[in-house]
Amino acid sequence: MPELPEVETVRMGLAPALEGCLFTKVETRRGGLRVPFSKDFAKRLTGRRVLHLRRRAKYLLADLDSGETLVVHLGMSGRMAVYAGGREQKLGQYVYGAAPPGAGSGKHDHVVMETDAPARIVFTDHRRFGLMTLVETVRLDGDKLFKDLGIEPLSGEFDAVWLAHALKSKKTPIKSALLDQRVIAGLGNIYACEALFRAHISPRRSASKVRPVSIALLVQAIKAVLKEAIKAGGSSLRDYRKADGDLGGFQHRFAVYSREGEPCPGCGGTVKRIVQAGRSTFHCPKCQK
DNA sequence: AAGTAGTCCTGAGTGC
DNA sequence: TGCACTCAGGACTACT
């Protein structure tokens, strides 16, 4: 799925098309994403204006003038495409093309939203691990989707002291701890692997046994890799696209992720793949101790 | 309590 | 060309 950098890239792409705009028409095409649409979902969105588009962890949050927030999670394969009504139109830094015939009527197009910009926004998710729901804005933090989420890794509060404290009692491998959204919210498989490589930490090392000096390196590595990925427009593997349909570019800069058998950019050794908690981990056993 | 399999779903890639 | 099999960026649930 889109991890934090991909969601942030989509947010930046969508913001100019959504903020201040009013939903004139909303259609849901298939009932079942991860959470079924409530039956009045489309009705509660229609006629509402988007005040602000923000991100929490891997969730996109569109605050509406009705006091509700549209919550979007892209799952593993979710995509938000923007088509600006009928003609090419510059919205902020993004140029969106006209909607091609049939845009929004694809097999896996689940939600089609028209705005008064005018623009058409299509939520596509062939694996249906994504989610779209409405939550009362004031109750968002206490909602079950959000109440256990951990720290934002790009926030100022996320530092070595914080992380050392969070990992102190965790015996799970550091790689698994980094994927735990209750610890750090927004980190996923790609950037957990890349950050551990940059910090020279073995993914197998018990989280509580990572030394303070390494924890400081890890915090720096997480922040750096996320920032670089956002700057590159995220990573495109199979499904991910930016809101304007372009590919992200960070996948060309992976040091270890998806590079099993290839040379390690640090020592020239071989990148290995192991499985931890059912997920692939890529690492260099020589560089990462 | 904490950690780890299994599960949801579909498509892409690989090997025979 | 086609079939069988494996794997995928996430996260919830039910086990141990």
Side-chain angles (χ1 to χ4, degrees), chain A residues 16 84 89 178 191 228 268:
Chain A
Q89 185 175 347
L178 293 183
Y191 301 109
E228 285 170 37

Side-chain angles (χ1 to χ4, degrees), chain A residues 82-148:
Chain A
V82 180
Y83 306 96
R87 62 189 187 280
E88 278 217 343
Q89 185 175 347
K90 197 165 174 108
L91 295 162
Q93 60 179 312
Y94 285 78
V95 177
Y96 303 97
S105 58
K107 188 173 159 192
H108 301 294
D109 294 338
H110 301 296
V111 183
V112 180
M113 298 175 287
E114 309 276 356
T115 77
D116 62 348
R120 178 184 299 173
I121 294 147
V122 182
F123 178 82
T124 307
D125 182 9
H126 68 83
R127 287 176 76 183
R128 286 195 278 150
F129 285 179
L131 171 155
M132 212 185 246
T133 189
L134 284 160
V135 178
E136 237 184 296
T137 306
V138 292
R139 291 173 197 249
L140 212 54
D141 289 345
D143 188 271
K144 66 173 168 37
L145 292 172
F146 298 96
K147 67 179 167 55
D148 295 324

Side-chain angles (χ1 to χ4, degrees), chain A residues 76 127 172-173 175-176 179 189 257 273-282:
Chain A
M76 294 269 257
R127 287 176 76 183
T172 190
K175 158 72 187 323
S176 301
L179 285 188
N189 208 26
Y257 187 82
R273 171 182 177 266
I274 58 174
V275 175
Q276 295 180 289
R279 311 291 304 277
S280 286
T281 299
F282 298 89

Side-chain angles (χ1 to χ4, degrees), chain A residues 36-268:
Chain A
F37 296 118
S38 59
K39 62 179 192 303
D40 57 352
F41 175 83
K43 202 171 131 196
R44 278 153 71 190
L45 267 180
T46 308
R48 306 303 4 161
R49 198 171 287 284
V50 177
L51 302 176
H52 186 51
L53 186 65
R54 54 200 172 100
R55 180 191 58 74
R56 169 78 172 112
K58 300 170 191 169
Y59 292 91
L60 279 171
L61 304 173
D63 297 321
L64 308 175
D65 62 357
S66 58
E68 290 195 297
T69 295
L70 173 64
V71 176
V72 181
H73 194 292
L74 300 175
M76 294 269 257
S77 55
R79 200 183 143 186
M80 296 281 266
V82 180
Y83 306 96
R87 62 189 187 280
E88 278 217 343
Q89 185 175 347
K90 197 165 174 108
L91 295 162
Q93 60 179 312
Y94 285 78
V95 177
Y96 303 97
S105 58
K107 188 173 159 192
H108 301 294
D109 294 338
H110 301 296
V111 183
V112 180
M113 298 175 287
E114 309 276 356
T115 77
D116 62 348
R120 178 184 299 173
I121 294 147
V122 182
F123 178 82
T124 307
D125 182 9
H126 68 83
R127 287 176 76 183
R128 286 195 278 150
F129 285 179
L131 171 155
M132 212 185 246
T133 189
L134 284 160
V135 178
E136 237 184 296
T137 306
V138 292
R139 291 173 197 249
L140 212 54
D141 289 345
D143 188 271
K144 66 173 168 37
L145 292 172
F146 298 96
K147 67 179 167 55
D148 295 324
L149 282 179
I151 199 165
E152 283 288 330
L154 293 178
S155 69
E157 294 84 63
F158 178 61
D159 60 17
V161 173
W162 190 95
L163 188 59
H165 181 75
L167 298 181
K168 196 171 58 182
S169 60
K170 293 212 168 285
K171 294 194 176 68
T172 190
I174 181 67
K175 158 72 187 323
S176 301
L178 293 183
L179 285 188
D180 186 342
Q181 301 298 299
R182 294 169 299 184
V183 180
I184 302 173
L187 214 52
N189 208 26
I190 293 177
Y191 301 109
C193 290
E194 293 294 312
L196 285 170
F197 172 79
R198 289 186 184 203
H200 306 292
I201 300 167
S202 167
R204 294 192 229 244
R205 181 173 283 271
S206 165
S208 60
K209 295 245 165 66
V210 179
R211 289 176 305 154
V213 60
S214 295
I215 287 183
L217 281 174
L218 182 56
V219 168
Q220 283 175 29
I222 289 169
K223 287 178 186 278
V225 78
L226 292 177
K227 282 182 191 166
E228 285 170 37
I230 290 171
K231 209 171 166 189
S235 305
S236 289
L237 297 182
R238 295 146 190 270
D239 307 302
Y240 166 73
R241 292 285 189 285
K242 299 195 296 185
D244 58 1
D246 280 355
L247 297 169
F250 196 72
Q251 66 279 10
H252 304 302
R253 317 235 301 255
F254 292 158
V256 287
Y257 187 82
S258 196
R259 295 191 63 243
E260 182 183 17
E262 293 179 37
C264 162
C267 70

